[in-house]
Each structure stands twice: as C-alpha cells, then as structure tokens.
Amino acid sequence: MNLFRLAGDMLHLVSILVLLWKIFTTNSCRGVSLKTQCLYLTVFLTRYLDLFFVFVSFYNSLMKTVFIVATASTVLLILTRARSSYEKDNDVCRVELLVVPTFLLSLVWNEYFSPTEVLWAFSIYLEAVAILPQLFMLQKTGEADSLNS
C-alpha cells in the first residue's frame, strides 16, 4: 500500500465527512455549491465504472464505493434537509460550459477509444474544473461560511 495514496484518500474522506456532518447538524448548506457537488458525483460515477468489472483490492473497492455514496449523500442532503438554505441565486456557474468541453476533450484525448476509457478521461478533465462553481459562488458572495456556524 502506497503511504501517500492512503494519506490522500483519508484526507479526502475526512473532508467529505466534515462537509456531510456540517450540513446534517446545522440543516444548512449556506455557501456550498450544489453544482460543484453534482460535478464531483459525476466525476466519481464516471471514473469508478470499473468497480463493476475489475476487482483490484478490497480497499480500492471500498474507497470507490464510499466516495460515491458520501458525495451522493451530500447532494441528497442539500436537495432535501438543507434545501431552504441553498443559495441558488449565488450558484450561477453555467456547468454546461464545463461539462461539454471536457467531454469533447475526452473524446479526442484518451489512452484508447473505448467507452470506459473515454469516461475515465472525462472524469479526469472534469475533476480539474469541478471546483469552479464553488469558486464562482465564493466570489459572488464574498464570504466563506465557517464550519462551526
């Protein structure tokens, strides 16, 4: 097991769990971009398609599943429990301007042309821009919500 991969996975997992905890306990998603969360869910769903075809290790399968479920849970919490605090007027980034070019890029620039490889490449390119709706939201509001509010 690569120590750096383990550390990166654990930090990523903790960050998702802290966000879930914050939304669940405060019933608020103020300052969180639903569009960014949906883009990350798309990233994980398209990148981890091999979960159904290839078994690498228990750890690998577990982490892929946890990332998908945790991100889907975040989206679900925003859409249900914290719906009243979602700042739709501030979540203004046009995601189609991110998704379409990254998908077109994945059709052109991939290891070999197959559906799973194209979707994997798409996930890599989409992940590079998935944070932009959150940054646009932060720029528009001019403030970041603290985790303990």
Side-chain angles (χ1 to χ4, degrees):
M1 170 64 65
N2 183 328
L3 185 61
F4 291 107
R5 178 180 179 170
L6 179 63
D9 284 348
M10 292 304 115
L11 287 172
H12 188 192
L13 181 59
V14 167
S15 71
I16 293 172
L17 294 176
V18 166
L19 179 61
L20 274 170
W21 174 80
K22 184 251 185 205
I23 294 171
F24 188 79
T25 58
T26 63
N27 290 328
S28 173
C29 63
R30 185 174 171 265
V32 177
S33 168
L34 175 61
K35 292 179 180 181
T36 286
Q37 295 305 313
C38 288
L39 289 175
Y40 278 120
L41 181 58
T42 304
V43 165
F44 294 140
L45 289 173
T46 55
R47 181 172 305 163
Y48 299 150
L49 280 176
D50 67 339
L51 189 60
F52 300 107
F53 310 112
V54 179
F55 180 78
V56 176
S57 69
F58 176 74
Y59 172 82
N60 186 279
S61 298
L62 177 69
M63 292 308 291
K64 288 177 179 183
T65 304
V66 167
F67 285 144
I68 291 170
V69 169
T71 307
S73 298
T74 303
V75 170
L76 188 62
L77 277 176
I78 292 171
L79 291 173
T80 57
R81 188 176 180 115
R83 179 181 52 226
S84 63
S85 63
Y86 172 55
E87 300 173 279
K88 186 176 183 177
D89 294 338
N90 292 328
D91 202 2
V92 295
C93 182
R94 294 183 52 200
V95 293
E96 65 273 12
L97 296 179
L98 304 175
V99 173
V100 172
T102 55
F103 184 72
L104 293 174
L105 182 60
S106 71
L107 290 172
V108 175
W109 199 354
N110 54 61
E111 194 69 29
Y112 52 91
F113 198 79
S114 74
T116 54
E117 176 61 27
V118 168
L119 289 172
W120 185 84
F122 170 66
S123 77
I124 297 296
Y125 303 138
L126 185 61
E127 185 176 27
V129 296
I131 194 67
L132 289 176
Q134 183 66 55
L135 295 175
F136 284 16
M137 188 176 201
L138 179 62
Q139 181 184 24
K140 186 165 180 168
T141 62
E143 61 184 43
D145 192 25
S146 66
L147 289 175
N148 59 3
S149 62

